Amino acid sequence: MILSRRSLIGTGGLALLAGCDRIAATPAGRTILFSGEKMNQGLQRALTNRAALALEFRADQMSPVFRTNGTRDPGTPAYQALAANRFADWRLAVNGLVARPLTLSMDDLRAFPQRAQITRHDCVEGWSAIGKWQGPTLGSVLKAAGVRTDARFIVFTCADLYRGEPYYESIDMVDAFHPQTILAYALNDRWLDVGHGAPLRLRVERQLGYKHAKYLMRIDAVASLAGIGRGKGGYWEDNVDYDWYAGI
Amino acid sequence: METPPGTLIKRHRLTTRLWHWVNAVAIIVLIGSGLMILNAHPHLYWGAYGANFDRPWLSTPRWPGWITIPASYNLAIARRWHLLFALVLGFGLLAYMAASLANRHFRRDLTVRARELSPRMLWHDVREHWALRFHDPADPRAYNIFQKLSYVAVLFVLLPLMILTGLAMSPNMDAAWPWLLDLLGGRQSARSIHFLCAAAITGFTVVHLALVILAGSWNEVRSMVTGWWRVPE
């Protein structure tokens, strides 16, 4: 009797661990499990200042080496042609729910209000690296394009395929118009290299690394994420069940 | 006024029992999913930053599937479990603390008195533990001093630190509440402290379960389910 209860206490925990995988495999279990994202997003947005700035660091606090992650080189013929010409022919398209669609060269982007910031990049895997990023604020580019009031998300389309799927990401207007959300063309006072997303990548400082889309080709203002990719707002969200809200 | 051995007494209140089991599930899910998250980058650092080219103070082995949630590598699903049950842990603790202040559970059962900490009393309790006697026959309902100290450490130090270090790993919370990073010494330090607190809570849980078995698992488990506990012989 005692022995069986003893083993019950001991194995109860392990049974729970195994049970978790069964729960996560059922549609209802998945719905409950995935409801945490909206709860956390809602709580964070309700309890914190939406305009709060991410911590910025001094130059002597930067990581000695800022590692690369995700796609290291898109490697497609189209991207290779752009890179071979040092991105002189590259253009960023700004489209969707905007009054004035734009096609911007690197020189055009450098004419917008700029921001340089030394911030901490947090990967979903757990590591962090501190680097200096520079580029125009996304908000100023969106204002120039005349983003419409019915736009709820900004979608970033990239030049790279990740495991054969086009990489893309999306953020909402709270982050899109945040003053630290920039389109970075420089890292640590150098032009962005191919490993870090040349010629242009997103910095959305209050979210995890996978939101910081690299190799930007187009930006679209949209009312809904449905119909884009598989509708969840990004490569990792569509294919690997990552949270769309990556502020945590 | 001794309570004779064999008497059934009401030992745990409903709020204590409810929180105990909700929290037990949360802790198991959080440790299992936390170890899977650690598998994604099993290196721990001190300071604000830390990645592959920096020097970790600890690199852990890969945590095997029988102890992780899910059993096979999946960072996304592990995070879903972890961040959902972090809410259960945090708000559960908050509710339990509010209830335990209101019903005087903390004051009555967990207040550590100076005389209990005298070397003579501590040594007496060590010997009592050694003899597997965990309660005072004169006041069997009361927690012994080592119970009190370990419950106080878990409730007021480890679990709050777990929650604060967890929040400090969220880039959005860091922006909104930068004092988290000042308090904990940077995001990677917070991540390291999170791991150390999880290890301490695991250690507490193992000792807790061993003592439940030694004290009589049927009586102890029943008291945490129904509230009723039989004073041992």
Side-chain angles (χ1 to χ4, degrees):
Chain A
M1 207 55 181
I2 287 173
L3 261 182
S4 68
R5 289 206 181 90
R6 205 173 281 185
S7 57
L8 191 75
I9 294 172
T11 54
L14 290 178
L16 182 61
L17 290 184
C20 284
D21 286 359
R22 285 212 210 129
I23 292 167
T26 66
R30 237 175 112 85
T31 303
I32 295 168
L33 190 57
F34 282 44
S35 67
E37 177 186 358
K38 284 281 168 263
M39 286 189 234
N40 278 304
Q41 181 186 352
L43 276 167
Q44 288 207 354
R45 287 270 162 90
L47 296 176
T48 66
N49 177 1
R50 291 178 177 203
L53 294 178
L55 191 62
E56 295 192 18
F57 295 85
R58 298 189 310 267
D60 62 300
Q61 295 172 309
M62 298 201 318
S63 295
V65 180
F66 199 114
R67 62 162 284 188
T68 58
N69 200 33
T71 302
R72 264 80 169 184
D73 182 352
T76 62
Y79 183 82
Q80 280 171 333
L82 290 171
N85 202 13
R86 291 174 158 244
F87 301 103
D89 302 324
W90 170 88
R91 296 289 182 275
L92 178 73
V94 184
N95 263 309
L97 301 176
V98 294
R100 297 172 290 281
L102 303 174
T103 305
L104 302 170
S105 68
M106 192 54 77
D107 283 344
D108 296 332
L109 285 164
R110 292 176 71 189
F112 282 98
Q114 306 285 301
R115 189 178 167 98
Q117 57 204 25
I118 302 176
T119 51
R120 196 190 64 221
H121 178 93
D122 299 322
C123 179
V124 64
E125 293 171 349
W127 53 267
S128 306
I130 298 175
K132 181 180 179 185
W133 303 94
Q134 189 178 331
T137 59
L138 176 62
S140 62
V141 173
L142 293 176
K143 272 182 208 144
V147 67
R148 283 165 35 186
T149 51
D150 52 342
R152 291 187 54 220
F153 303 97
I154 304 297
V155 177
F156 303 86
T157 307
C158 308
D160 61 318
L161 301 174
Y162 196 78
R163 294 178 191 155
E165 296 265 348
Y167 201 97
Y168 77 102
E169 260 305 337
S170 60
I171 59 176
D172 66 11
M173 302 318 251
V174 172
D175 277 315
F177 282 96
H178 185 266
Q180 286 172 321
T181 301
I182 62 172
L183 301 171
Y185 51 70
L187 166 61
N188 295 349
D189 295 319
R190 293 174 176 202
W191 294 108
L192 212 52
D193 60 20
V194 170
H196 290 97
L200 195 71
R201 78 177 295 172
L202 175 67
R203 295 297 308 168
V204 49
E205 300 292 354
R206 298 180 302 175
Q207 298 213 39
L208 297 174
Y210 63 87
K211 301 298 283 190
H212 301 225
K214 306 199 284 190
Y215 315 111
L216 294 180
M217 297 303 289
R218 25 178 321 137
I219 296 177
D220 289 277
V222 300
S224 158
L225 298 172
I228 303 164
R230 288 177 207 163
K232 292 184 192 160
Y235 168 84
W236 290 100
E237 294 88 329
D238 279 347
N239 295 291
V240 196
D241 291 331
Y242 278 173
D243 306 70
W244 175 82
Y245 178 69
I248 184 167
Chain B
M1 273 275 295
E2 286 204 7
T3 315
T7 318
L8 269 179
I9 61 170
K10 189 87 174 181
R11 198 173 192 204
H12 300 298
R13 290 179 185 78
L14 180 64
T15 50
T16 307
R17 286 177 275 141
L18 265 177
W19 179 71
H20 174 275
W21 293 111
V22 169
N23 200 54
V25 171
I27 294 278
I28 290 169
V29 170
L30 286 164
I31 287 173
S33 55
L35 290 175
M36 174 53 81
I37 294 171
L38 186 59
N39 272 346
H41 188 80
H43 313 288
L44 296 168
Y45 313 86
W46 295 116
Y49 66 80
N52 303 56
F53 296 102
D54 305 309
R55 207 180 152 85
W57 67 270
L58 179 69
S59 290
T60 74
R62 179 159 288 272
W63 298 92
W66 61 266
I67 204 174
T68 61
I69 299 174
S72 48
Y73 184 80
N74 190 325
L75 175 59
I77 298 297
R79 277 173 52 82
R80 298 273 181 181
W81 280 108
H82 204 75
L83 301 178
L84 177 63
F85 277 83
L87 295 174
V88 175
L89 181 92
F91 287 100
L93 184 67
L94 194 66
Y96 168 69
M97 283 189 161
S100 300
L101 284 173
N103 69 20
R104 310 191 124 235
H105 171 44
F106 286 162
R107 193 186 169 89
R108 201 178 63 161
D109 301 320
L110 291 180
T111 305
V112 177
R113 290 175 182 83
R115 65 178 164 78
E116 291 178 297
L117 293 173
S118 71
R120 203 179 58 81
M121 285 294 288
L122 287 175
W123 179 239
H124 172 259
D125 259 48
V126 169
R127 279 182 320 187
E128 288 289 291
H129 269 76
W130 210 242
L132 305 184
R133 282 192 299 267
F134 304 114
H135 67 279
D136 177 0
D139 185 8
R141 203 189 164 283
Y143 292 144
N144 67 57
I145 183 62
F146 294 115
Q147 266 181 305
K148 282 188 185 178
L149 289 175
S150 53
Y151 294 160
V152 165
V154 169
L155 283 171
F156 300 107
V157 181
L158 289 178
L159 290 176
L161 253 183
M162 215 63 219
I163 293 165
L164 289 177
T165 51
L167 287 173
M169 282 187 272
S170 149
N172 186 60
M173 293 309 298
D174 285 347
W177 297 354
W179 55 267
L180 283 170
L181 296 170
D182 297 335
L183 184 73
L184 300 163
R187 181 177 192 254
Q188 290 299 322
S189 290
R191 186 166 167 263
S192 291
I193 298 168
H194 198 72
F195 175 80
L196 291 172
C197 288
I201 287 172
T202 306
F204 166 84
T205 307
V206 168
V207 173
H208 176 68
L209 291 177
L211 286 170
V212 165
I213 290 164
L214 288 173
S217 45
W218 175 242
N219 196 23
E220 296 296 324
V221 173
R222 179 187 53 198
S223 76
M224 198 42 87
V225 174
T226 66
W228 291 97
W229 182 69
R230 192 178 297 280
V231 177
E233 300 295 326

